Amino acid sequence: MSIAHRVRVEDVTILSDDWYVLKKTTFSFQRADGNWQRQSRETYDRGNGATILLYDPKRRTVILTRQFRYPAFVNGHDDLLIEAPAGLLDNAEPEARIRAETEEETGFRVRDVRLAFDAFMSPGSVTERLHFFVGEYQPGDQASAGGGNEAEGEDIAVLEIGIDEALAMVGSGAIRDGKTIMLLQYAALNLFSNRTPIDVGAASFPETAAVTGRRGNL
């Protein structure tokens, strides 16, 4: 159901237009009781994006990446961040963009991909809508070392991890990236449904340093 009739935009001010666009918007919103309430919000527009979980159902493995993320570091994460490959759309179609981004980051040329779902990742302030894909891979699909775009400051390592270990790393805090956790949980429910259940509240889990990943061939 559309709610456009309940929103009256009154003023938009651009606060920053450097890396992405930060706006302050004043608007009136019609509440459930029919009264109009004036509000002000800041929105950060960085564009929409796509992410993917590559998985091998026979070997029960997934492909993830590891890289430095300053926002996570400055908020107390004193380690590299383990993530699923991802990137902004930059006006491309989601499937085309995630294919290109996956090869750039991991070296894998993705064959068949499937859109699992899409979601707003931080709707309180960020406009981004993220498209979540899954796709099967085999070790022979890795055509290059990957590593990301050095000109953009990327220095990405490629990790191949068992699905059960990856899920355990979510419970231990070794994997903290939201989009990656969502994809791993989706995989556990839909792609590896015959996995051995893990009690993430009681088990003892490995630290991030225990994961052996390297750039290049797996």
Side-chain angles (χ1 to χ4, degrees):
M1 179 183 297
S2 174
I3 62 166
H5 65 285
R6 298 175 61 187
V7 182
R8 297 174 180 170
V9 176
E10 299 169 5
D11 182 68
V12 179
T13 301
I14 296 179
L15 302 178
S16 176
D17 189 3
D18 186 5
W19 192 249
Y20 301 116
V21 181
L22 177 63
K23 298 179 181 179
K24 179 179 180 179
T25 301
T26 301
F27 61 94
S28 291
F29 179 74
Q30 188 179 34
R31 299 173 59 87
D33 61 9
N35 292 320
W36 288 87
Q37 182 180 39
R38 199 164 189 260
Q39 302 181 23
S40 180
R41 296 288 186 273
E42 291 183 6
T43 55
Y44 190 54
D45 186 358
R46 61 191 302 269
N48 295 326
T51 184
I52 190 170
L53 184 70
L54 297 179
Y55 69 100
D56 184 334
K58 294 182 179 179
R59 295 188 302 132
R60 298 178 58 79
T61 55
V62 296
I63 296 297
L64 300 176
T65 66
R66 184 163 53 193
Q67 62 183 305
F68 176 66
R69 294 293 199 183
Y70 180 76
F73 172 76
V74 78
N75 197 26
H77 184 70
D78 190 14
D79 199 350
L80 303 179
L81 205 64
I82 297 176
E83 307 176 44
L88 296 178
L89 299 186
D90 293 331
N91 298 316
E93 290 298 316
E95 182 176 327
R97 189 70 195 101
I98 199 58
R99 287 179 181 276
E101 191 71 23
T102 301
E103 185 166 353
E104 180 179 287
E105 291 190 6
T106 71
F108 278 87
R109 288 180 178 168
V110 185
R111 291 182 284 178
D112 295 330
V113 300
R114 177 168 60 86
L115 179 66
F117 55 91
D118 65 71
F120 292 97
M121 298 304 294
S122 186
S125 58
V126 181
T127 62
E128 181 184 23
R129 182 176 179 177
L130 194 60
H131 302 264
F132 289 75
F133 290 90
V134 294
E136 291 191 30
Y137 81 94
Q138 297 176 4
D141 295 337
Q142 191 178 30
S144 67
N149 188 333
E150 183 177 351
E152 296 178 356
E154 294 180 334
D155 183 17
I156 298 173
V158 182
L159 308 178
E160 183 177 59
I161 305 176
I163 181 61
D164 294 321
E165 182 180 4
L167 291 166
M169 291 170 68
V170 173
S172 72
I175 293 179
R176 293 183 173 180
D177 175 64
K179 65 181 180 295
T180 305
I181 294 171
M182 292 167 71
L183 279 170
L184 289 173
Q185 291 177 338
Y186 177 89
L189 292 171
N190 298 279
L191 307 178
F192 299 99
S193 58
N194 62 337
R195 71 179 183 87
T196 301
I198 294 176
D199 182 356
V200 298
S204 177
F205 302 109
E207 297 298 326
T208 304
V211 181
T212 56
R214 61 186 182 277
R215 193 181 300 171
N217 294 330
L218 301 176

